[in-house]
Structures are given as C-alpha cells and as structure tokens.
Amino acid sequence: MDVRTYIEDHRDEFVAELKEWLAIPSVSADPERHPDVRRSAEWLAGRLSAAGFPAVEVWETGGMPAVFAEWPARDPQAPTVLVYGHHDVQPADPVEEWETDPFDPVERGDRLVGRGASDDKGQVLFHLLGVRAGLAASGADAPPVTLKLLVEGEEESGSPNFAELLKNRRDRLDCDVAVISDTTMWSADTPSMCVGMRGLTDCRIDLYALDRDLHSGSFGGAVPNPAAAMARLLAGLHADDGRIAVPGFYDDVLEIGEEERALLARLPFDEAEWLRAAGAAAAAGEAGRSTLERIWVRPTAEVNGMWSGHTGAGSKTIVPKSAHAKVSFRLVPDQDPLRIQEAVRAYVHSAAPEGVRAEVEFAGPGVRPCASDLSSPAVRAARDAMRRAFGTDVLYTREGGSGPEADLAEALGAPLVFVAVGLDDDRIHAPNEKVEVPLLLKGAESIAYLWESLAEQA
C-alpha cells in the first residue's frame, strides 16, 4: 500500500479523531477553561502513544502544559526533526455569530467547522496520519528520521512560558530541522510554503505638559499643547515616501533574494479585490514596493490609537494637559526588537518639544522575526514533498503576523521549515472557523514524503 492510498483509506478515522479533539474547549486565555487545556494535552498524549510514539510526556510550565513525544529512527544515524504546533485555541467569542456550536464540530462535505480545526489542531494531527502512512508504505516499524513533537498549550495567549520551556528542556529538543505547521497556503489551487514571519514590538507613548487642562482663550498659543505635539510626533514616524523615519530603523533590514521575489510575483494576487476585502480605497505604504512586499517582507509602523483632551459631545475649548498614543512596529529579518525599541524611544524623546515630557513604555521584549533559508536542503526537500503530494508547483509566501518561531530557531540552532495547509479563508480566530479536510490529507502525505527525503539526504 502506498502513502496516498493509506491516507485515503483512513480519512474517516482521522476526521473522527480530530472531531473528538476539537470538542475539548482548550482556550488558554480563559482561566475557566484551563482544566480543558490540560485535558486537551492529555488527549493528545494518548493519541501519540496509540500512534506508536514510544516516548510521550506532558510537560508542565508556569502556565498551561505542553506535550512532547519522540520516536527514534530505524537508522541511528538518521537526522532528527522537531515538529512544532499548539493545542490551545482562541476564545469562541462572539458565540452568537457561530452558525453551529464552536466546540461541537460539524462536517459539511469536505469541510470541518469548529474552533481549532485549522489553528492548530487539524495541522498537528495530520502529522500522526502522515507517520502512520509512511510506516504502512515502507513496512518499517520506525520512521526514517527521528521524530520529536513539541505541542505547546499557550500559543494563543502569546506563549508567555515558551522561551523558559525551551531553556529548561533544551537537552531533549536537539534536532537538525524544525518543522512548523501553524501557517497557511496561498489557496487550495495554489499550494505554497511560508518562508518567514514578521516580528513585533508595540508601545504606549505619553506626552505631558501641564498640571491640568487649561482655558484655550487664556492660555492657548502661549503654552505647549501636548495633543499638537503628539500629532507632529506621529506624523514624523514616516517620510513622504512612506519609509519609516525613525533614525536607524532600517539598519538591520535584510532584503529578500531574487528567487523569492520572483516566486512572490507568480502568486495570483488581485490587488483590487484585496483592497475591496479590506474596505480600502487605495493602497498605501513604502514607495517602490508591491503590496505583498509591504505586508510580508518590509517593516511597518502603525498608529493603533490616540487620545487627548475632550472627546465627548459638544465643544470644550481647552489646551489638554496630556496626549497618548499606542504604536506597533512589525519587524523583518534581521531586526532585533530591543534595538528597535531603543531607536523608537530615542526618536520620541527627540521629537518632544521643550516643555513636553515624553514617556515610552513597551509591552515586553517583543517578538523577533524569522525566515527560512531558501537554499537549505531541508527547505528544498519540503517544497519537493509538497509538490509531489499536490501534483503541482509550490510557491513561497510569508506571513505578516508573528509567533514564537524565532525563539524556537534560536534555542535549537536548527533551520525552520514551514509545512502547513491552512487557508486565509479558514476564519481562524473568527466565528465559524473551518478546515478543508482534503488539504489536511495532503499535509499528511507531504510529511510522509518529507521524512523519507530528509533521511535520504543524511
């Protein structure tokens, strides 16, 4: 029996297992659901053991538990692969917008609807199907590579304990390649591999000038106005060409290579449709860059909110005593969030006029960007495996969001490979989240081929 036949024959069993897991409301952000997060970890541990993994452990953290599993290769010299995913899910709110119970998964043809179906339980579980298919096809009793799975329970809460977990368990996590299955493809008809994710750091800016709001007729024009100062400061974040004007901001930005640029250009991107979906009248941003480059491979500075003085009904002619704003920065390789924080803090203090005191508070150390090395044998092997499974060429994409992948890459010192089959229209984090079951089966098939390919490269 070949890999594809095994997967097709076990489709219904796979879907039934996934529905059972999705019924566990493992919402890490909700303290009342923390027992369910633990129950989710225990469910996964049981399925991993049943699939044949000889070593399965539930790892405690400062918060919700992670699951670790290991299956040594039949050849002791074979490479070691670590698969990363997460078993916690987003809250279901607003529940009234769901067409069905978010934790009572429903099949609609080839579509499975339920919270966590795509992000990330479905994409974790296809690894079990893939390894079983590979073993059935080869007749072996162990995989061609040493497999390790690390499935955390707090990704949807910002992975607050993940870096410490990596540090404490470093001796168990050694690997040659790290595979991430928590991203998306371009579309079902245009399979693609994610090859990078942006980083993030965000801050609150406060400007203070007065002890109290003042009468604008008595004091206006003669004392500093922090609202006006904030407006100038925020406007100064960008130059006329859309580039970020913070001194030193681009010092470490790594330009993408020609191969990736060419593959991005092949994606069937309809900018007009994209703008309609966003409700935007026109594209904006850094001059000389395509829209896909702006949202994937270029850094950004976005004003998320600002407030000052009187914002209620009617007029109140004052000079406000203070002004406030929240600003976020998406980062790209090789930008360091801490260096960007230093640059932004220096800019804010230099932009505050005389008589205005500036304070900047960042929400933690930030999330670092990450990217795959497109020339690495592992990335090439993954692309070939997906091409074999899907029967068509596989393009490259990136993601504008952020995750813990950079921490994983640094802690393990291993190249990152993204093999995932989610879609942008899976409605992850939104009501009526779904996943396309045929794509999960293609993910399992891709993984089975990838393990064989990596073993042959050793």
Side-chain angles (χ1 to χ4, degrees):
M1 179 180 294
D2 63 17
V3 166
R4 182 170 297 172
T5 300
Y6 180 93
I7 289 172
E8 291 173 350
D9 288 349
H10 289 78
R11 176 202 182 278
D12 292 346
E13 175 189 342
F14 169 76
V15 172
E17 290 183 350
L18 179 54
K19 290 171 70 175
E20 185 179 321
W21 197 17
L22 294 176
I24 302 174
S26 51
V27 182
S28 60
D30 183 354
E32 293 186 1
R33 295 294 195 184
H34 285 182
D36 294 311
V37 181
R38 183 169 298 278
R39 188 157 59 96
S40 170
E42 293 168 350
W43 185 95
L44 177 58
R47 291 311 309 151
L48 288 164
S49 295
F53 280 82
V56 180
E57 302 170 18
V58 174
W59 283 355
E60 298 299 333
T61 73
M64 294 292 94
V67 179
F68 173 80
E70 183 174 6
W71 196 338
R74 55 183 178 252
D75 178 1
Q77 302 304 313
T80 297
V81 179
L82 177 89
V83 175
Y84 166 83
H86 63 91
H87 66 92
D88 65 318
V89 300
Q90 279 277 315
D93 300 33
V95 175
E96 64 273 11
E97 294 186 14
W98 284 79
E99 297 173 359
T100 58
D101 185 329
F103 297 108
D104 185 9
V106 174
E107 289 184 73
R108 294 177 175 170
D110 283 333
R111 181 170 292 179
L112 183 59
V113 179
R115 174 59 87 221
S118 179
D119 183 24
D120 186 35
K121 289 180 178 178
Q123 302 205 72
V124 169
L125 202 63
F126 77 57
H127 283 274
L128 278 68
L129 179 59
V131 71
R132 293 202 304 266
L135 293 176
S138 67
D141 59 1
V145 297
T146 291
L147 280 180
K148 298 180 180 181
L149 270 69
L150 179 60
V151 185
E152 72 159 311
E154 297 183 309
E155 194 273 348
E156 299 292 9
S157 298
S159 301
N161 295 287
F162 191 60
E164 188 69 16
L165 177 67
L166 293 176
K167 177 182 176 182
N168 293 339
R169 299 288 188 167
R170 180 67 182 83
D171 60 324
R172 302 289 302 280
L173 298 174
D174 275 337
C175 64
D176 300 295
V177 179
V179 172
I180 313 298
S181 294
D182 187 23
T183 52
T184 60
M185 301 193 308
W186 181 260
S187 71
D189 297 327
T190 307
S192 62
M193 285 177 61
C194 176
V195 294
M197 300 181 73
R198 291 195 293 189
L200 171 69
T201 188
D202 61 296
C203 67
R204 170 171 165 158
I205 301 171
D206 300 294
L207 299 182
Y208 301 97
L210 308 168
D211 292 333
R212 65 186 187 282
D213 294 344
L214 296 177
H215 189 293
S216 64
S218 301
F219 295 94
V223 295
N225 186 314
M230 182 67 81
R232 289 191 295 269
L233 184 155
L234 296 177
L237 285 172
H238 295 89
D240 290 342
D241 62 0
R243 282 174 60 88
I244 298 164
V246 174
F249 194 88
Y250 290 92
D251 287 355
D252 300 316
V253 170
L254 181 66
E255 290 282 352
I256 62 172
E258 288 307 312
E259 178 188 9
E260 184 176 357
R261 190 184 301 277
L263 288 172
L264 291 183
R266 288 176 54 191
L267 291 166
F269 177 62
D270 185 334
E271 183 169 287
E273 177 59 33
W274 183 83
L275 287 170
R276 279 194 294 272
E286 187 179 354
R289 303 286 180 170
S290 70
T291 295
L292 289 181
E293 286 183 274
R294 290 169 181 164
I295 62 175
W296 284 348
V297 302
R298 298 301 291 172
T300 65
E302 294 295 336
V303 179
N304 309 129
M306 51 184 150
W307 64 100
S308 179
H310 177 63
T311 58
S315 63
K316 186 179 183 184
T317 53
I318 60 169
V319 179
K321 66 178 182 179
S322 61
H324 316 273
K326 292 190 176 185
V327 184
S328 62
F329 302 87
R330 296 287 177 175
L331 312 178
V332 300
D334 288 326
Q335 290 181 299
D336 181 340
L338 295 180
R339 290 192 63 181
I340 295 301
Q341 290 180 11
E342 293 175 3
V344 170
R345 188 174 283 108
Y347 164 76
V348 169
H349 286 293
S350 68
E354 183 177 359
V356 175
R357 175 171 57 86
E359 295 182 0
V360 185
E361 181 179 359
F362 284 89
V367 178
R368 286 169 300 166
C370 66
S372 299
D373 178 359
L374 303 192
S375 66
S376 78
V379 171
R380 301 287 185 184
R383 188 178 177 205
D384 288 343
M386 291 187 68
R387 182 187 293 120
R388 182 179 173 188
F390 282 89
T392 189
D393 198 12
V394 175
L395 304 180
Y396 289 149
T397 63
R398 294 204 186 193
E399 293 211 356
S402 307
E405 287 77 12
D407 285 338
L408 192 69
E410 181 182 48
L412 303 181
L416 295 179
V417 176
F418 294 82
V419 179
V421 294
L423 298 176
D424 282 343
D425 69 359
D426 280 346
R427 300 181 62 84
I428 64 172
H429 295 200
N432 305 304
E433 179 181 351
K434 58 86 176 176
V435 73
E436 303 293 335
V437 173
L439 294 185
L440 292 179
L441 303 185
K442 290 297 184 185
E445 187 178 347
S446 300
I447 285 299
Y449 298 150
L450 177 57
W451 302 157
E452 290 289 351
S453 179
L454 291 177
E456 291 170 1
Q457 290 180 3

